[in-house]
Amino acid sequence: MVLEATMICIDNSEWMRNGDYAPTRFQAQSDAVNLICGAKTQSNPENTVGLLTMAGKRVRVLVTPTSDLGKILACMHGLEIGGVLNLVSGVQIAQLALKHRQNKNQQQRIIVFVGSPTKHEKKLLEIIGKKLKKNSVALDVVEFGEFDDGNSEKLGALVAAVNNNGNSHIVNIPPGPSALSDALLTTPIFTGDGDGGSGFAAAAAAVAAGGTTGFDFGVDPNIDPELALALRVSMEEERARQEAAAKKAADDAAKQEKEMGQTSVTQDVTMSEPVVTSVMPAADDKKHDLTDDETALLRQALAMSMDDARPDSEAGADTDMSDVVAEDQDLSFG
Amino acid sequence: MASVIPRSQVDLVDFVDWRGVECLNQKSGHAIENALKQGYREDDGLHLESDADEQILIYIPFTQVVKLHSIVIKGPDEEGPRTVKLFTNKENMGFSNVNDYPPNDSIVMSQDDLKAKAINLKYVKFQNVRSLTIFIEDNQGGNDISKVQKIALYGTT
């Protein structure tokens, strides 16, 4: 719940006519801006958001930082596309707008959308970045569309110059099946620096994901935290158990090699029988209170890990694990 | 310039409007509170430190109109501030417009001054102070980082 004043810099250059983000880059960007405005104004009632466009005849401030969401959304309509992006002016004017914010307690943040090539030198961007950092302004960059010609490198340098304790981020959103705004939801721009971010962002993320993808085990931790936790704990336990078993197996294998050195028995026999006999007593010694179920499980795990220990089935380890996870999941769901 | 603080002048720390205190180019973890707040400022281990370069801009609003008589700045020999400019009643100052206004007073500090000696200000220029802006322009050693261990303001209300 950071108290923030945010200026959002919109890219309205000619490149925004490109249709690689449905329906056009500009429309996709508008949706993302709307979403960010909503998230910012709802995460704290005193947050303010302002907008400016960076391309065209000149940089134009559409609305100075305000908490009135209607005012922000209204000025998004009827924007003209044209010209080339003037990133440096845009960022500097955004900083000026933030400097004259009403409430000095607000942190300052600039969010820049860049979907066209940056004409400025990397050096210049770094100088601007330093200046922002000096004036304690954070900067988020959303890069989409144009990734060639060192664009990413330039923007990366800009964000790196501003970054102070990880308060500034850069995200690259390539064109894909999910909308630009949806792709943004899981980025640090929405989730914030530390604690799970705003409730709005989380809720919006849940809606966007539709409970199908994006989360571990296909369960949204925000909707059912207990189930998600149970699944995660189960996963961890299983992993720990497998690791322990694998370690034991490795130890035994080493032991066997020694034995093999002494008694020249054929390999297959030693692989299967002595392991079980040698390991089980050790396990029993450690945990006398093992129930029958657990013993059975342990035995199963051991057998599994013995499979892993064989040199030719290393790749099998992962699939085994996912199988087990799937089992656990079913159990939890049931 | 250094002198003893007259008995009639009081420490103005009680009249600082803390919610409005602002410091630009401070390093996180080495914030303005370390140099300005009672208790913290007495501890030499806690200091205010600059971040991107050596300059620091501190804005201190007061809860009432005060008269400023003298200032105490304590800092290490090398990184301690050298040129300090003071402005009164200037809201919205940034690094970009520090040269737009003439400072009410400009101090060049010696290493001796940095050992918490009181520096008298042009008293007539600080008669009607609602807020004070302290601009630390550079430091003794010409380093990239400036450090301030203590700032104390003395005056009357």
Side-chain angles (χ1 to χ4, degrees), chain B residues 44 47 73-81 109 111 113-116 140 147-150:
Chain B
D44 287 351
H47 58 263
I73 298 177
K74 191 180 179 190
D77 285 347
E78 277 295 299
E79 292 104 341
M109 306 204 52
Q111 296 205 340
D113 290 335
L114 285 176
K115 296 190 174 71
Q140 300 286 339
K147 288 180 185 172
V148 183
Q149 286 159 339
K150 176 179 178 180

Side-chain angles (χ1 to χ4, degrees), chain B residues 123-144:
Chain B
Y123 191 51
V124 287
K125 292 252 195 180
F126 296 90
Q127 289 297 305
N128 196 7
V129 184
R130 272 170 284 120
S131 68
L132 178 73
T133 305
I134 304 173
F135 174 51
I136 297 172
E137 194 163 10
D138 53 12
N139 56 38
Q140 300 286 339
N143 296 2
D144 264 358

